Amino acid sequence: MTARVVVVGGGLAGLTAACELADRGLAVTLVEARARLGGVTFSFSRGDLVVDNGQHVLLRCYTAYLDFLRRLGVAHHIEMQPRMTIPVQGADGRLGSLSRTALPAPLHLLGSLATYKLLSPVDRVRAAWAVPAMRRLDPDDPRLDEQSLGDWLRAHGQNDNTISALWNLITVAALNCDADEASLALAAKVFRTGLLDRSENCDIGVPAVPLSELHGEPALAYLRAHGAQVRLHAAVKEIRRADNGFEVVTGEDTLAADAVVVATSADAAARLLPDTVTDDLGHSPIFNVHVIFPRRVTDLPFLAVVGSPVQWAFDRTSVSGLTQGQYLAVSVSAASEWIDLPVARLRELFLPEIARVLPGAAGQVPTDFFVTKERTATFRQQPGSGRRRAAQRTGTPGLVLAGAWTATGWPDTMEGAVRSGQNAARLLSEQLPATVSEVAR
Ligand SMILES: Cc1cc2nc3c(=O)[nH]c(=O)nc-3n(C[C@H](O)[C@H](O)[C@H](O)COP(=O)(O)OP(=O)(O)OC[C@H]3O[C@@H](n4cnc5c(N)ncnc54)[C@H](O)[C@@H]3O)c2cc1C
């Protein structure tokens, strides 16, 4: 008998689990509340433009995510830097750069750090001094989850300048909170895996197509081609134990299943499985400011900015299909301070800032300006969050959790989501023979 698996939630975690399980020959039904797949990675049309809900980037160390894209046949849509280079603009207009050489880690960053214009020579030495200590941290040590990165950095000789011009540049983008708020365990994972353990891990990849073309649409085609059922517009209301497995109740009908993967957000999982999941992780918002300029503003594919609300700016012109002028998306993480401001106020704040850091924008009247807000973009990756992330294995055989918020050891990222989906599929594969033979009895 072929085991029937219902996967609840069609974000990257659920898509990965569903693809893996379908490949293993199981009868998979993926149930997604929204009208499309991809979860918090999606695109929409605005006139002739295709817009992403929020700029996403990856690192070469996202090995599971890149494997997932290869499985879907879309990995060639990632523009991966041959070697990491991040142009960084200071508040005073100084342009620096963080880049790597071909030397083995951690020497690959030393040259760049030694000439990093946003820090004084003394602060460059200060920053380099903390690197060996960071490399010795074990992200799996539970004691690290009780400390903040900021406290650790100050105890290791860092000052406000090194934290804001260097450490926070990475921390805010990767953990969606600043060093003072960030869990040292997750920060150690980011800095070690992403930057310090292997030289090529830090190369940055940027999607060359809209997110829906990269994730949701090819995953739908893949699942259908591999025999899986996909139900869109179908919010799961309840998951019940039944004599022979589970019943998954949607607004329209009830699906019988031998096993269930719950791959929703943490709050939805807590509603569906109140005895299994407690959602006390909290959230941190991200928003994107989208501006269309009549003429080109910059030739850079992206730019990081220190000391400005313009944290990262990306050229979205060709991805969006814009044929004239330039489309810039400014991505703002750890955005609690701004997320409730109306668009008109964000326009007043951001347009002068963009013109200040990118002088090519000065004097141009944008032809369009809009904002996409994701209030619950990631969980709050603060001290103590590690012990609050739910284990993927539940106490009920045949029921597993997935999602970037579960205990993957990775931050709330596309890589964490995909790893959780892979792990959910593996756990179920281990559990299913017993579950299905019980059904057969
Ligand atoms: C603006 C923004 C920028 C980001 N930038 C980056 C980045 O640059 N790099 C990076 O690696 N990561 C980034 N992330 C994080 C990354 O997108 C997430 O970690 C990842 O996509 C989460 O995937 P997921 O499958 O765990 O969850 P989700 O994408 O939240 O998927 C959960 C799915 O479950 C569905 N669902 C919920 N309840 C039900 C129900 N009852 N029944 C059926 N379906 C249900 C939801 O509709 C959703 O589709 C960013 C996130 C945002 C929002």
Side-chain angles (χ1 to χ4, degrees):
M1 167 184 179
T2 307
R4 299 153 304 171
V5 183
V6 171
V7 177
V8 184
L12 284 169
L15 293 176
T16 307
C19 291
E20 292 258 355
L21 291 163
D23 275 0
R24 291 177 197 199
L26 304 181
V28 174
T29 304
L30 175 72
V31 186
E32 165 56 48
R34 297 186 215 184
R36 44 144 193 91
L37 298 178
V40 296
T41 65
F42 67 95
S43 320
F44 59 93
S45 295
R46 183 179 170 95
D48 293 338
L49 293 184
V50 185
V51 174
D52 282 351
N53 66 313
Q55 177 68 47
H56 279 64
V57 300
L58 58 134
L59 299 178
R60 203 186 285 280
C61 64
Y62 279 26
T63 51
Y65 172 73
L66 286 166
D67 279 348
F68 176 67
L69 296 188
R70 274 181 216 110
R71 184 199 290 254
L72 299 184
V74 293
H76 59 284
H77 290 316
I78 298 296
E79 278 173 6
M80 183 68 75
Q81 297 180 325
R83 279 191 202 153
M84 179 194 80
T85 307
I86 308 175
V88 189
Q89 167 114 28
D92 55 3
R94 259 182 303 179
L95 188 61
S97 153
L98 287 172
S99 56
R100 77 159 176 104
T101 62
L103 289 172
L107 303 175
H108 65 312
L109 296 174
L110 267 189
S112 177
L113 204 49
T115 54
Y116 184 45
K117 289 204 180 70
L118 272 70
L119 291 180
S120 68
V122 174
D123 281 346
R124 292 174 204 165
V125 175
R126 204 186 290 280
W129 186 75
V131 167
M134 177 61 82
R135 285 187 94 213
R136 285 195 297 274
L137 291 178
D138 173 6
D140 296 327
D141 179 344
R143 288 170 301 179
L144 269 56
D145 181 47
E146 302 303 326
Q147 290 178 59
S148 78
L149 171 65
D151 285 348
W152 184 91
L153 287 172
R154 289 192 177 83
H156 287 78
Q158 304 307 296
N159 59 24
D160 288 349
N161 286 338
T162 59
I163 291 175
S164 75
L166 185 68
W167 298 97
N168 266 345
L169 191 73
I170 308 296
T171 307
V172 172
L175 293 180
N176 198 13
C177 59
D178 69 19
D180 287 324
E181 270 197 274
S183 152
L184 178 57
L186 283 171
K189 178 72 187 166
V190 167
F191 282 101
R192 286 203 51 185
T193 307
L195 274 163
L196 302 175
D197 284 357
R198 290 176 67 89
S199 63
E200 69 275 18
N201 276 3
C202 56
D203 302 334
I204 294 177
V206 181
V209 294
L211 288 170
S212 289
E213 237 178 273
L214 193 64
H215 301 152
E217 291 163 15
L220 179 63
Y222 184 96
L223 286 168
R224 289 192 167 146
H226 288 75
Q229 305 283 320
V230 179
R231 299 208 180 182
L232 300 174
H233 268 313
V236 170
K237 310 279 184 219
E238 192 184 350
I239 298 170
R240 298 196 284 254
R241 288 302 307 269
D243 291 344
N244 53 356
F246 300 88
E247 288 176 346
V248 179
V249 182
T250 73
E252 286 179 1
D253 56 5
T254 298
L255 303 169
D258 300 310
V260 178
V261 179
V262 174
T264 64
S265 53
D267 54 340
R271 280 195 298 278
L272 290 172
L273 305 169
D275 299 334
T276 308
V277 179
T278 313
D279 173 30
D280 56 359
L281 285 167
H283 293 115
S284 184
I286 299 177
F287 69 90
N288 276 217
V289 167
H290 307 257
V291 196
I292 317 294
F293 291 99
R295 296 181 302 283
R296 278 201 83 74
V297 169
T298 176
D299 290 330
L300 295 171
F302 61 82
L303 171 74
V305 186
V306 168
S308 162
V310 178
Q311 295 170 359
W312 290 74
F314 293 84
D315 180 8
R316 305 268 324 157
T317 310
S318 74
V319 185
S320 66
L322 184 73
T323 50
Q324 236 187 347
Q326 189 165 32
Y327 170 0
L328 294 184
V330 171
S331 178
V332 184
S333 300
S336 306
E337 185 186 331
W338 294 288
I339 196 75
D340 291 323
L341 295 180
V343 174
R345 180 73 188 120
L346 291 171
R347 187 184 169 112
E348 277 170 13
L349 286 171
F350 276 82
L351 282 184
E353 266 306 292
I354 293 170
R356 192 174 68 78
V357 297
L358 292 166
Q364 291 205 46
V365 179
T367 55
D368 200 1
F369 179 101
F370 57 99
V371 177
T372 47
K373 295 182 178 179
E374 293 287 347
R375 289 173 190 279
T376 57
T378 65
F379 71 87
R380 286 191 68 196
Q381 308 192 68
Q382 60 189 343
S385 55
R387 66 179 139 77
R388 293 203 287 270
R389 293 172 82 176
Q392 291 193 247
R393 187 194 296 273
T394 69
T396 307
L399 176 68
V400 298
L401 303 176
W405 58 275
T406 58
T408 62
W410 279 75
D412 190 332
T413 52
M414 299 190 288
E415 176 71 5
V418 168
R419 281 178 184 251
S420 77
Q422 284 179 336
N423 199 34
R426 188 182 55 75
L427 286 170
L428 271 197
S429 301
E430 287 165 12
Q431 294 173 9
L432 262 172
T435 321
V436 177
S437 60
E438 273 169 32
V439 173
R441 274 205 300 275

